[in-house]
Amino acid sequence: MYKVCELFLDGEGYQFEVEGDFFWGESKLLFKTEDNVISKMPWKDEGYAVVNAFSSEDFQRLKKSMENNIVKAIQTCIPNFDASDFQLENYHKIVTTDELHNQVINITRNLENEDFDFDIDALANRFGEILGYKLTSWVEELQKSHIQIRLSRPNSLDINPPHRDGYLSYWEDIINVWIPIVGCNQNSSLPVYPRSHLIPENEILRTASKGAKINGNTYYVPCILETKKGKIEMIRPNPKPGEALIFSPFLIHGSAVNKNENITRISLELRFPKIKP
């Protein structure tokens, strides 16, 4: 069944078709109001915050490590690709078809700590200090670390639908970390729906996990089509280079359409589980 997902990004209407079976949830709140990873924060009711994350030197090292991973992925798909003058924001000029892009992101969305010339565990410690909890990069249920590079070409549907990561069991007790690298601005940064982690399931119309398809692509996360309040109204917090957007896994987010005319948006997604005592 096809439905049109209609939402607002900073007050501007946007829509796209989603294929899937939609249903209203049960009368319960999945977000744990006590001892959750953001429970010590003054912004816990908003569900998100923008925080300082890196020194300039650390940011540049992380950016270079991401570039190396992206070049390696492109060269896997285009063996004769010459990366000598490659610039991250011009990714869309190299990867010019959906088919090729899907081949690249099949690599870049399943990376682990050892793929980076950067101490990811140090980042877990850094955000843990901010939140007042001990965090780890190790995901017990997956038996590995998990890192995603997001590549969003301009004027494309290189997006996730509106969703909650917490619907997936291995993301129930984590902090989401979204780090802008290039091309991230008011036209492209990750949208969030403030306070939506406090919406109970019977007020949300969604698909099951792996139950939503957009532009021929099936998504692990369920698509949230609307709430009983109506269409989803999201904002783009727009963190600057060196900052990070952190948020609850039950905050509705996604649909990060890149409205820049000729710049690829590249960001890093990390999910750090809270270490149980």
Side-chain angles (χ1 to χ4, degrees), residues 9 188-193 234-237 245 252-257:
L9 303 181
S188 60
S189 63
L190 179 66
V192 299
Y193 182 0
M234 307 176 89
I235 64 169
R236 296 189 195 255
L245 172 65
I252 297 173
H253 62 285
S255 298
V257 58

Side-chain angles (χ1 to χ4, degrees), residues 132-151:
Y133 286 101
K134 288 187 177 181
L135 305 177
T136 178
S137 64
W138 180 258
V139 184
E140 187 64 28
E141 188 173 333
L142 299 179
Q143 285 294 294
K144 64 173 188 173
S145 57
H146 179 78
I147 302 170
Q148 288 182 279
I149 295 175
R150 290 290 186 192
L151 301 159

Side-chain angles (χ1 to χ4, degrees), residues 202-253:
N202 61 325
E203 295 183 14
I204 289 178
L205 181 64
R206 68 174 181 94
T207 68
S209 300
K210 298 183 181 179
K213 185 179 289 188
I214 300 173
N215 202 29
N217 294 318
T218 299
Y219 292 81
Y220 278 86
V221 291
C223 170
I224 296 175
L225 192 73
E226 62 181 72
T227 74
K228 287 195 173 172
K229 294 180 180 179
K231 294 171 185 164
I232 295 172
E233 297 191 22
M234 307 176 89
I235 64 169
R236 296 189 195 255
N238 193 23
K240 308 263 186 312
E243 296 180 332
L245 172 65
I246 60 176
F247 55 96
S248 164
F250 291 101
L251 192 75
I252 297 173
H253 62 285

Side-chain angles (χ1 to χ4, degrees), residues 78-142:
I78 310 175
N80 61 349
F81 171 60
D82 179 6
S84 57
D85 58 353
F86 174 66
Q87 293 182 310
L88 290 173
E89 56 267 35
N90 291 331
Y91 166 88
H92 60 286
K93 298 179 181 179
I94 306 299
V95 178
T96 56
T97 67
D98 288 345
E99 180 182 9
L100 185 56
H101 175 67
N102 288 335
Q103 291 174 14
V104 171
I105 65 171
N106 278 338
I107 299 170
T108 60
R109 69 184 178 187
N110 287 302
L111 300 172
E112 299 182 46
N113 288 11
E114 53 265 32
D115 293 310
F116 286 79
D117 182 22
F118 193 91
D119 190 349
I120 301 297
D121 284 312
L123 288 181
N125 292 335
R126 189 172 304 172
F127 291 111
E129 289 172 358
I130 292 172
L131 297 168
Y133 286 101
K134 288 187 177 181
L135 305 177
T136 178
S137 64
W138 180 258
V139 184
E140 187 64 28
E141 188 173 333
L142 299 179

Side-chain angles (χ1 to χ4, degrees), residues 43 49-56 59 123 126-131 177-180 239-246:
W43 44 267
V50 172
V51 299
N52 290 323
F54 304 99
S55 66
S56 177
F59 178 77
L123 288 181
R126 189 172 304 172
F127 291 111
E129 289 172 358
I130 292 172
L131 297 168
V177 179
W178 188 84
I179 300 170
K240 308 263 186 312
E243 296 180 332
L245 172 65
I246 60 176

Side-chain angles (χ1 to χ4, degrees), residues 25-42:
E26 299 177 8
S27 181
K28 63 180 179 180
L29 180 66
L30 296 182
F31 175 74
K32 296 177 182 178
T33 55
E34 300 291 332
D35 195 31
N36 66 75
V37 75
I38 66 170
S39 60
K40 299 177 183 179
M41 296 294 100

